[in-house]
Amino acid sequence: MMQLVFSDAQYWEDFLPLTFTRPVAAMRCGILTFAERWQKILENTEVTYFTETYLQDKFKSPEEKESLFLVPNFLPTETVIQQIKDLKQGEALVYEDELIAAKINMKGFSLNQIEKMTDIKEDLVFFKRPKDLFTYNHHAIDFDFDLLTKGRTSQELSSTNGFLGDKKDLFIEEGAYVEFSTINTKTGKIYIGKNTEIMEGCHLRGPIALCDDSKFNLGAKIYGATTVGPHCKVGGEVNNIIIFGYSSKGHEGFVGNSVIGEWCNFGADTNSSNMKNNYGNVKFWSYRTKAFEDTGLQFAGLIMGDHSKTAINTQLNTGTVIGVASNIFKPGFPPNLVENFSWGGLKDDERFKLDKVYEVAERAMARRKVALSEEDKAILKHIFDTY
């Protein structure tokens, strides 16, 4: 079995705060994470990660052997997939002057092993910043939908539901419960994962991915392109968001054009603006340049790191970036950058004490029958001490 080595070299810092707690390949976009997608494409590949030192105890390091070295954060065409499969030892593929795939030996790892480089001529959907995850999510949903459903038969949609579109663009996995809702695939494909629940009165307008063991609460209004990862609860109104997994936005309130990590919770009536009053372009904080950068987008809402929470009636400005394990509960709008471990959400608020962070995480994770591991604690401690 070929060892697949996912490289974080170029992009890890650009995806902060989402990558404080994971490699780039472990982010979700479409239906799958980048790692899951490549494992499916390349068929039973052994997955390892070439990432930040403090993440390696949780995310398996490469062994010293022949490997396929891969930058994971793009959607390949059929031609590029074949080019990757056809690579021989010492050969590499380059896209826009950056190496994205190479067949090398991880023993004595060096890119000097590469003897032949081939440029990819096709245009690829490439994800380089957090904003790209929601901006290009419709492409990822289409890609994953075809990848996961090819040659398979969907479960039947119950006759209690209203349906618009072509049934081939709807796929329902086993164990899903969908009753008395409206499903519209005219605007994009809809994937409903295993053991999911779409409660009565929901309105879904594709493209949408509801991943395994997640649910849309009563009367939810879901606009595409939206991905809700596994073990989530979503209610109220959302538009073009990605939730990696294990997070809850269970109540009324609007969130749009956003990316939300794992183990986050939105208090009832939390609202996140996704457009400025002057209709201008939105800026997001860049941890690499330590400045707010123009996204080039008129619609951009929120980027939220893992384990962060908002209190009831929280109001978030357009272009807000929230770090890891922040707890936002003070009145008024928090700033557009909420620091890691903020206790309150305002600038210069005290920090959320690390032992209390562990306590809250353990309780939240226990509700999903997941334990906070020693590796998780070490990652949180490193972020607390370093950033």
Side-chain angles (χ1 to χ4, degrees), residues 29-266:
C29 181
I31 302 170
L32 304 167
T33 66
F34 289 112
E36 290 168 344
R37 182 176 301 115
W38 282 107
Q39 192 168 24
K40 183 81 173 170
I41 290 168
L42 299 173
E43 300 171 352
N44 300 320
T45 313
E46 179 188 355
V47 169
T48 64
Y49 301 86
F50 191 70
T51 184
E52 299 296 299
T53 303
Y54 77 93
L55 295 172
Q56 291 286 192
D57 283 343
K58 181 174 180 179
F59 297 92
K60 185 180 177 183
S61 300
E63 296 178 19
E64 293 185 340
K65 61 181 183 180
E66 290 186 1
S67 307
L68 176 60
F69 187 83
L70 187 66
V71 173
N73 42 303
F74 69 95
L75 300 177
T77 62
E78 288 296 327
T79 301
V80 171
I81 290 171
Q82 195 57 53
Q83 284 180 293
I84 290 171
K85 289 180 176 180
D86 290 343
L87 283 173
K88 294 181 174 57
Q89 199 68 18
E91 295 183 347
L93 297 176
V94 174
Y95 182 70
E96 294 182 346
D97 298 323
E98 289 194 10
L99 184 145
I100 63 168
K103 206 70 159 301
I104 57 175
N105 197 317
M106 291 304 290
K107 185 175 182 179
F109 169 73
S110 170
L111 296 181
N112 291 332
Q113 297 176 36
I114 298 171
E115 299 168 352
K116 179 185 176 184
M117 292 191 181
T118 303
D119 283 312
I120 293 172
K121 303 298 185 185
E122 297 175 89
D123 289 332
L124 299 177
V125 177
F126 224 104
F127 304 84
K128 298 181 179 181
R129 300 286 189 279
K131 71 179 180 69
D132 295 338
L133 297 174
F134 63 79
T135 300
Y136 305 135
N137 195 35
H138 60 294
H139 294 297
I141 289 175
D142 281 353
F143 188 100
D144 291 347
F145 187 98
D146 294 342
L147 186 66
L148 292 173
T149 66
K150 186 176 181 180
R152 301 175 60 220
T153 303
S154 170
Q155 304 298 301
E156 286 294 322
L157 179 66
S158 167
S159 60
T160 67
N161 296 285
F163 180 78
L164 290 171
D166 192 325
K167 283 288 179 69
K168 72 176 176 56
D169 293 328
L170 171 68
F171 198 94
I172 305 173
E173 297 280 7
E174 290 183 5
Y177 173 92
V178 191
E179 301 288 349
F180 291 97
S181 291
T182 65
I183 314 291
N184 182 354
T185 64
K186 281 190 170 183
T187 51
K189 297 172 182 178
I190 296 179
Y191 174 88
I192 300 171
K194 293 177 182 176
N195 304 317
T196 53
E197 182 177 7
I198 297 176
M199 294 185 183
E200 301 89 326
C202 291
H203 301 294
L204 278 64
R205 203 166 196 270
I208 292 168
L210 180 66
C211 298
D212 296 355
D213 300 295
S214 285
K215 64 176 64 176
F216 289 139
N217 286 348
L218 284 166
K221 299 180 284 292
I222 315 296
Y223 297 86
T226 286
T227 292
V228 175
H231 301 277
C232 293
K233 295 178 183 177
V234 172
E237 182 180 1
V238 301
N239 179 7
N240 187 204
I241 72 167
I242 295 173
I243 303 178
F244 285 172
Y246 296 95
S247 292
S248 291
K249 186 221 163 290
H251 306 287
E252 293 302 316
F254 172 77
V255 179
N257 308 94
S258 298
V259 186
I260 296 145
E262 294 184 338
W263 308 110
C264 298
N265 188 73
F266 290 77

